[in-house]
Amino acid sequence: MITLARLVEAAKPDLVPYWPVPLPRVELTGVHVSELEDPTVFLYGGELLLTVGLQLGGLSGDARAEAARNYVRRLVEGGVAALGLGLGSGHAMVPDELRAACVESGLPLLTVPRESPFLAVSRAYWELVRQGGEAELTALLGLQVALTRAAAEEDAEPEIVRELSRALSTWVAYLPEGDGTPSSAAASGDELPAGLLAELARESARLRTARRGATGNIQLASGTASLYPVSDGPAGAGYLALGRSGQLGAAERHLFLTASTLLAARAAGQRRAAAERRRAEGMLAALVLEGHDDAARLLATQMDSDPLPETAFVVVLPDLEELATQPQPDGLVLERSGVMFVLQAASSPSPKLPKGARGAWGGPMPLRRLHELRAQVAEIADSAPPGQLIRVGHGLDLPADEWVDTLMAHPGHLLETVRAYLAHRGQWEAAGREIGVHRNSVRYRIAQAKELLGVDLGDPDVAAQLWLALRGRTQAPHKE
């Protein structure tokens, strides 16, 4: 019988009791690794659970204490024999809240030193199993090692999925959260049924919306499947789907939890790398917006970033909280005081921005001059109507002729109204008298024109170029 005390002895110095108390003599059924808030759905009971404590990450005070109590309570109710906390990745030392929760519930708490991998504890357990003649479970260690080696590959996700599919003898699919690329594999090496990944993506989105960490058995066109959440603590990392339903066997749970933890760790690393990249890009944008484009180009070279463009747009989007649910815009992004500044290369007539965003943009202009536009664009963005992007002048080539064509094609007599409005320098009453309508009608039509063209007609550069383009175009006045 493999007890916790026997495993501690065999795993020295990689597994250390946190306080000197008699360790329970109950049989250990396994060693599992998981960062799920509730891993008990994958456990039979009697396991040593290893974690780096991401469940408590980002929490403090009463919230952290409550999370620790709830986590330990779930482990005890699930029959977990002991908890092992890996030091270094998530916590430099055992959190007081976790220690108190374990003492209160009587759950043995152990630590895995910073320099010791979890795999060392698993090796010690499976060595004891091998010594006990458990040939089937000994083979499982080899599969776990294969999964771990797969995680070291540059393109790790497909490799992990492929190894798990072989081990479980069924198809496996990994659907990362967000816009990540799904990975899938069939045990036979064949292609998955057509449309399966799309079905799984819809179902995982439904489960994610229904309840964080929800699992589900679903009936697909190709048969029954199971979906399990892959989580690294505070943030979800996606779903793992298996081509069958029902509970996993003991050995299969070991493999699944290993694969799940490896995928979650990869997702967490990718998020950290993306956050670092955004911060670095924000530094480049800040330098450009302060007029230090030479310093920005030098820094981009030192960072091995793509070369900065010669000409670009500057965009200001004031609704930062609403933009959090949208995909990140292309270009260099700087978030400052609740406002998003975006610098985009001038590779198209206008910047590519999230649908329905509110704000303003200007350019294209040489990178060295974008700082001249920053204050004006920010001011106009702050007063932009909901869902409207206003173009500010000072660009290289304002498409005034295109604006005139757009106004001429509109059935609301906008062209003659804009002409009169510009001719009378924005005076509603005088423009209305010229075309024979009330000043409120002029106000309404000018608002329509601004929304249609996406520009501020009060901007002197916009007004000047549009007025020049209007000269030479004719449209008979319309009386109302």
Side-chain angles (χ1 to χ4, degrees):
M1 181 174 72
I2 302 175
T3 64
L4 187 58
R6 187 180 173 193
L7 177 59
V8 168
E9 181 66 25
K12 284 182 178 179
D14 300 309
L15 187 63
V16 183
Y18 187 59
W19 61 82
V21 296
L23 296 174
R25 292 194 53 79
V26 297
E27 181 178 7
L28 279 181
T29 61
V31 177
H32 296 281
V33 181
S34 177
E35 301 303 327
L36 292 174
E37 290 186 355
D38 184 8
T40 58
V41 65
F42 302 113
L43 304 177
Y44 276 154
E47 298 88 351
L48 166 64
L49 180 68
L50 300 179
T51 178
V52 296
L54 291 179
Q55 305 86 353
L56 305 181
L59 302 175
S60 60
D62 292 342
R64 191 176 193 178
E66 180 67 15
R69 285 193 296 269
N70 290 336
Y71 177 66
V72 171
R73 174 182 53 77
R74 286 192 292 268
L75 299 187
V76 172
E77 291 175 354
V80 170
L83 178 64
L85 180 67
L87 301 179
S89 296
H91 302 277
M93 60 184 65
V94 175
D96 291 338
E97 298 85 353
L98 182 61
R99 176 196 57 77
C102 288
V103 170
E104 180 181 348
S105 65
L107 180 68
L109 178 62
L110 304 96
T111 60
V112 179
R114 177 190 300 269
E115 62 274 10
S116 298
F118 283 173
L119 187 59
V121 179
S122 294
R123 283 181 185 275
Y125 176 81
W126 294 118
E127 177 61 19
L128 292 176
V129 170
R130 186 191 66 79
Q131 294 172 7
E134 301 282 349
E136 178 185 356
L137 294 182
T138 301
L140 179 61
L141 177 59
L143 295 172
Q144 287 184 311
V145 171
L147 285 171
T148 305
R149 286 175 177 168
E153 299 291 333
E154 183 176 348
D155 194 17
E157 289 81 359
E159 292 297 322
I160 294 172
V161 168
R162 191 174 297 113
E163 290 293 342
L164 185 61
S165 174
R166 291 171 183 166
L168 299 183
S169 300
T170 186
W171 63 256
V172 175
Y174 172 52
L175 301 107
E177 192 169 31
D179 56 358
T181 303
S183 303
S184 61
S188 61
D190 297 332
E191 295 292 327
L192 268 63
L196 177 60
L197 283 179
E199 281 190 88
L200 293 172
R202 288 192 296 269
E203 189 63 25
S204 63
R206 185 188 66 80
L207 290 173
R208 194 178 292 116
T209 302
R211 180 171 61 87
R212 184 177 180 272
T215 63
N217 290 329
I218 57 174
Q219 189 65 40
L220 303 174
S222 58
T224 304
S226 299
L227 278 166
Y228 300 92
V230 176
S231 172
D232 62 346
Y239 270 85
L240 260 179
L242 309 179
R244 68 188 208 206
S245 61
Q247 281 194 329
L248 298 175
E252 293 173 329
R253 286 201 309 279
H254 281 285
L255 294 172
F256 180 87
L257 289 171
T258 299
S260 175
T261 299
L262 292 172
L263 289 170
R266 287 277 302 182
Q270 290 166 353
R271 279 198 299 275
R272 287 193 295 270
E276 288 298 326
R277 186 171 60 253
R278 285 195 296 271
R279 280 193 285 271
E281 291 175 349
M283 293 170 57
L284 297 177
L287 287 171
V288 172
L289 291 174
E290 293 297 331
H292 306 300
D293 61 292
D294 287 341
R297 292 187 188 279
L298 178 60
L299 180 59
T301 301
Q302 296 297 319
M303 291 166 44
D304 290 329
S305 295
D306 294 334
L308 299 185
E310 292 300 322
T311 59
F313 300 107
V314 58
V315 183
V316 180
L317 306 173
D319 301 324
L320 191 56
E321 290 186 5
E322 295 182 12
L323 292 168
T325 60
Q326 295 273 6
Q328 188 87 343
D330 294 336
L332 303 180
V333 176
L334 171 65
E335 296 179 2
R336 178 185 290 172
S337 302
V339 176
M340 179 181 289
F341 294 82
V342 184
L343 304 184
Q344 277 190 15
S347 57
S348 58
S350 60
K352 299 175 182 177
L353 299 170
K355 186 177 181 181
R358 182 180 76 92
W361 61 277
M365 287 187 70
L367 204 66
R368 67 180 183 277
R369 294 187 56 201
L370 279 184
H371 67 282
E372 300 173 10
L373 269 179
R374 182 192 62 183
Q376 184 182 9
V377 175
E379 180 180 357
I380 292 176
D382 189 55
S383 60
Q388 184 172 335
L389 288 165
I390 299 175
R391 180 169 188 173
V392 181
H394 303 286
L396 295 177
D397 296 301
L398 292 178
D401 288 326
E402 295 179 17
W403 295 341
V404 174
D405 291 337
T406 301
L407 293 172
M408 289 185 68
H410 194 276
H413 306 291
L414 295 188
L415 184 66
E416 61 176 343
T417 306
V418 170
R419 187 201 304 275
Y421 173 79
L422 295 177
H424 293 281
R425 297 177 176 81
Q427 297 181 28
W428 312 106
E429 191 78 42
R433 281 198 302 269
E434 178 180 326
I435 60 176
V437 299
H438 193 272
R439 64 176 181 275
N440 289 342
S441 296
V442 177
R443 289 178 186 271
Y444 174 73
R445 292 181 186 178
I446 295 302
Q448 277 188 305
K450 287 182 178 181
E451 183 173 359
L452 182 65
L453 302 179
V455 295
D456 179 14
L457 297 182
D459 185 295
D461 293 285
V462 172
Q465 295 202 38
L466 182 54
W467 173 251
L468 291 174
L470 282 169
R471 294 180 65 182
R473 303 285 188 112
T474 59
Q475 184 180 37
H478 175 75
K479 305 271 185 187
E480 290 186 351

